[in-house]
């Protein structure tokens, strides 16, 4: 396996933003399901395959349906999200 990029070293502002989102989500009253979906959607936007894989597995393990995960990239137009 190739060595992954250390984002904290190569892109410190991006890393700071990512940690900021994580800190914000920890302190909200959002459901765990919504927190997982937010992380997954952020990873889709950032096009990070490693993070998409990780957050998809987390969402599935948290009880999220595959259908809603498939629809996440078009969440604004989907009827499965309120």
């Amino acid at each position: 396996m190739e060595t992954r990029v250390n984002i904290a070293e190569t892109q410190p502002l991006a890393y700071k933003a990512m940690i900021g989102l994580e800190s914000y989500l920890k302190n909200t009253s959002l459901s765990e399901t919504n927190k997982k979906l937010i992380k997954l959607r952020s990873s889709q936007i950032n096009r990070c395959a490693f993070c998409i894989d990780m957050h998809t597995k987390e969402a599935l393990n948290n009880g999220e349906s595959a259908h809603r995960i498939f629809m996440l990239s078009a969440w604004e137009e989907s009827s499965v999200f309120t």
Side-chain angles (χ1 to χ4, degrees):
M1 176 182 248
E2 288 185 40
T3 302
R4 299 203 47 91
V5 173
N6 184 335
I7 191 171
E9 290 178 8
T10 60
Q11 296 293 323
L13 293 177
Y15 184 73
K16 183 178 178 181
M18 186 173 62
I19 296 302
L21 175 60
E22 183 68 30
S23 296
Y24 173 78
L25 288 176
K26 282 183 183 179
N27 296 309
T28 68
S29 61
L30 292 171
S31 69
E32 284 302 311
T33 299
N34 283 337
K35 289 178 186 181
K36 303 292 186 203
L37 291 174
I38 290 169
K39 291 178 185 182
L40 177 53
R41 183 63 185 133
S42 297
S43 299
Q44 289 173 338
I45 292 167
N46 293 329
R47 299 179 56 168
C48 178
F50 176 85
C51 295
I52 291 169
D53 181 61
M54 174 177 58
H55 296 310
T56 298
K57 289 174 183 172
E58 290 174 347
L60 288 168
N61 288 336
N62 197 57
E64 186 55 76
S65 72
H67 179 70
R68 282 174 41 103
I69 290 173
F70 298 150
M71 296 300 295
L72 188 57
S73 64
W75 69 270
E76 292 173 293
E77 298 175 19
S78 172
S79 63
V80 300
F81 298 102
T82 58

